[in-house]
């Protein structure tokens, strides 16, 4: 990255830009892209860390709803109504 | 040992476009369906025959032999006799249709490049150029093309149909354009390769999320452009750099079971340092001259992801690069991913505000991001966003991932 930074092409300019209401230029081709943040990085953070159903049941037992007389059902993924 | 069932999809990826390209050149654009039909029929026959009789000794040669024979049959049975064809037939002493359909490596390399530039003809709109290229050159299904354009199947079908009609009507020839034309067409050729890589990097419709062969094909074609004097431009090098950086993690992105391993869990010893170095090489080449294209910026962002740190400095840099990218060319998906970087750099609340303005209501990743941002801030909202994401998700893998996230949050409510 040294030579590129030296040419000041990709330097950190420090200016924040607000893209509120930004629209696509007419004639611009709107596409998807290989952006890593969501497709490769983010999707991990919301994954359940327990691997087994038993662990998930233990977690559910700690759920406050149970203490108020409610019911928490732990279902395996395949039973989710999609 | 690979069975016929595993081999055919792989060969489809690598050989379908090559066969189609050569045949399309042979039959001309007016008869492009013939080229596509022959290629499809060849693979259909392979699927039927190999399952019963087992794999031939040389599967690729088998495919080419069948495609050749079918092409010859088509030439005989249809009245596709241009002067060129008749002339060549006359030259043959045997008087038979010994038309030599050259599927050798030289012709293929040549035809694929020609095909790319020929299809990206300004008589049809850019989206059609790229869509047609993805269909014919890359073997994309209509759904994959729709995903690439953040669009739907009906729109894509119409678009492709009209494009073929127009090319047919205008008798567009498949040939490598003049130098002045190359520069004008290069942009859409690059977008095609970008979208080919994108589908391989993360498939939204297929159950296999990471499709390495598509990425490798994109890199191979991009490399061809870099090696060719007339197309060795900064943006071309920048795109190849981007691809190298992302590809460096492919080995770490799937576990031995074939399941996706997310970034924070990836074993960095499996990251390909050679590919990272190659990426840096091409990025430096791309920095020659004064041009900064979107690919330069995306490659620079991808460069940051080859460093597995989670520092504010990293995310500040990525955020600035996204800001610059959006200035050059605003795109909804870039804006969406920029919002993730914003959350990392400036906190979730400010990112939530910006994310909600985007309103990308047909995209499951949009709702996934909102679900992620609202997690631990307002879990009820997080769940409702993730449920929307589940509705929009298409692949089984994506649905399972989202389902797990919902489960986890429901247990905390």
């Amino acid at each position: 990255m040294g030579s590129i930074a030296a040419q000041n092409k990709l330097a950190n300019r420090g200016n924040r830009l607000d893209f509120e209401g930004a629209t696509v230029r007419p004639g611009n081709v709107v596409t998807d892209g290989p952006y890593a943040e969501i497709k490769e990085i983010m999707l991990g953070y919301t994954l359940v860390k327990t691997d087994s159903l038993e662990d998930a049941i233990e977690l559910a037992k700690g759920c406050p709803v149970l203490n108020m007389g409610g019911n928490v059902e732990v279902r395996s993924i395949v039973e989710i109504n999609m | 040992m690979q069975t016929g069932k595993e081999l055919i999809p792989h060969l489809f990826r690598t050989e379908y476009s090559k066969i189609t390209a050569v045949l399309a050149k042979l039959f001309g654009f007016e008869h492009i369906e013939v080229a596509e039909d022959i290629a499809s029929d060849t693979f259909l026959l392979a699927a039927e025959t190999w399952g019963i009789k087992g794999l031939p000794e040389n599967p690729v040669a088998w495919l080419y032999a069948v495609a050749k024979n079918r092409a010859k049959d088509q030439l005989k049975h249809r009245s596709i006799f241009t002067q060129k064809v008749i002339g060549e037939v006359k030259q043959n002493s045997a008087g038979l249709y010994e038309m030599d359909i050259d599927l050798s490596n030289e012709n293929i390399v040549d035809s694929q490049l020609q095909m790319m530039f020929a299809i990206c003809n300004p008589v049809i709109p850019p989206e059609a150029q790229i869509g047609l290229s993805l269909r014919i050159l890359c073997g994309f299904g209509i759904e994959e093309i729709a995903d690439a354009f953040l669009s739907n199947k009906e729109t894509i079908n119409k678009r492709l149909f009209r494009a073929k009609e127009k090319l047919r009507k205008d008798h567009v020839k498949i040939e490598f354009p003049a130098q002045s034309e190359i520069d004008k067409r290069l942009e859409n050729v690059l977008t095609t390769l970008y979208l080919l890589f994108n589908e391989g990097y993360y498939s939204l419709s297929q159950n296999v999320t990471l499709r390495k062969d598509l990425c490798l094909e994109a890199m191979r074609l991009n490399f061809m452009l870099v090696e060719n004097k007339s197309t060795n431009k900064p943006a071309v090098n920048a795109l190849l750099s981007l691809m190298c950086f992302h590809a460096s993690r492919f080995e770490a992105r799937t576990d031995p079971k074939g399941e996706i391993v997310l970034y924070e869990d990836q074993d960095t010893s499996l990251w390909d340092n050679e590919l990272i170095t190659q990426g840096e090489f091409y990025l430096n080449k791309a920095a020659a001259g004064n041009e900064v294209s979107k690919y330069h910026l995306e490659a620079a962002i991808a460069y940051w992801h080859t460093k597995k740190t989670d520092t504010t400095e990293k995310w500040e840099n990525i955020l600035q690069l996204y800001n610059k990218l959006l200035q050059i060319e605003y795109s909804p998906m870039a804006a969406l991913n920029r919002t993730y970087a914003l959350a990392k750099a400036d906190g979730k609340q400010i990112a939530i505000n910006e994310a909600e303005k985007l309103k990308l209501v047909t995209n499951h990743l949009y709702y996934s991001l909102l679900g992620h941002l609202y997690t631990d801030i307002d879990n009820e909202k997080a769940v409702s966003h993730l449920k929307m994401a589940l509705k929009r998700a298409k692949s089984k893998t994506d649905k399972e991932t989202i389902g797990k996230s919902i489960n986890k949050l429901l247990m905390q409510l």
Side-chain angles (χ1 to χ4, degrees), chain B residues 81-234:
Chain B
F81 283 124
T82 63
Q83 275 308 117
K84 187 182 173 201
V85 173
I86 292 171
E88 269 166 326
V89 166
K90 278 185 179 165
Q91 268 171 39
N92 192 294
S93 52
L96 294 167
Y97 307 122
E98 272 312 307
M99 172 109 229
D100 198 24
I101 295 154
D102 189 2
L103 288 168
S104 68
N105 255 330
E106 232 176 67
N107 193 22
I108 287 170
V109 164
D110 188 33
S111 282
Q112 276 181 296
L113 255 184
Q114 287 190 24
M115 191 76 153
M116 266 197 268
F117 282 93
I119 296 178
C120 289
N121 188 311
V123 303
I124 53 177
E127 291 90 345
Q129 296 172 29
I130 297 158
L132 214 51
S133 301
L134 290 172
R135 177 106 189 93
I136 296 171
L137 199 75
C138 309
F140 270 36
I142 299 299
E143 179 146 44
E144 286 150 296
I145 301 176
D147 289 340
F149 285 107
L150 309 177
S151 179
N152 59 64
K153 292 198 255 188
E154 293 73 28
T155 307
I156 302 301
N157 273 319
K158 273 191 213 154
R159 184 181 290 169
L160 295 187
F161 179 77
R162 285 190 198 133
K164 286 189 198 178
E165 285 294 298
K166 178 80 169 139
L167 290 170
R168 193 193 327 263
K169 223 171 42 109
D170 289 14
H171 303 294
V172 173
K173 280 210 203 111
I174 298 180
E175 54 193 9
F176 201 61
Q179 182 66 44
S180 54
E181 275 299 302
I182 290 171
D183 291 342
K184 289 191 219 151
R185 299 190 186 191
L186 189 55
E187 185 182 338
N188 292 326
V189 169
L190 287 186
T191 307
T192 306
L193 297 184
Y194 177 78
L195 291 174
L196 174 59
F197 186 88
N198 175 60
E199 173 63 25
Y201 175 79
Y202 192 105
S203 176
L204 292 170
S205 64
Q206 306 302 302
N207 285 328
V208 178
T209 304
L210 174 60
R211 303 169 71 184
K212 290 183 201 174
D213 48 359
L214 297 189
C215 293
L216 293 177
E217 181 70 0
M219 290 170 78
R220 188 183 70 83
L221 293 168
N222 196 337
F223 182 71
M224 267 206 278
L225 290 178
V226 162
E227 293 289 289
N228 188 307
K229 250 191 286 182
S230 47
T231 52
N232 185 19
K233 308 283 178 179

Side-chain angles (χ1 to χ4, degrees), chain A residues 1-71:
Chain A
M1 283 295 280
S3 64
I4 297 163
Q7 292 182 58
N8 208 32
K9 288 188 166 52
L10 302 168
N12 183 342
R13 300 259 174 97
N15 55 322
R16 299 295 167 87
L17 299 160
D18 185 11
F19 292 99
E20 174 177 356
T23 48
V24 175
R25 226 189 322 128
N28 198 2
V29 180
V30 173
T31 68
D32 191 8
Y35 305 108
E37 287 75 23
I38 293 179
K39 288 174 177 176
E40 196 176 338
I41 298 172
M42 182 199 86
L43 294 177
Y45 283 90
T46 44
L47 271 183
V48 69
K49 293 296 183 188
T50 70
D51 280 332
S52 68
L53 207 50
E54 287 83 353
D55 289 352
I57 291 169
E58 282 306 311
L59 255 187
K61 284 182 183 168
C63 182
V65 173
L66 281 177
N67 298 333
M68 290 165 61
N71 235 5

Side-chain angles (χ1 to χ4, degrees), chain B residues 338-363:
Chain B
R338 177 228 176 220
T339 314
Y340 180 86
L342 183 64
K344 284 296 225 177
D346 292 352
K348 278 187 169 185
Q349 194 52 61
I350 188 170
I352 285 174
N353 296 340
E354 304 241 347
E356 291 190 321
K357 289 177 197 165
L358 292 176
K359 299 199 201 311
L360 298 173
V361 295
T362 54
N363 197 298

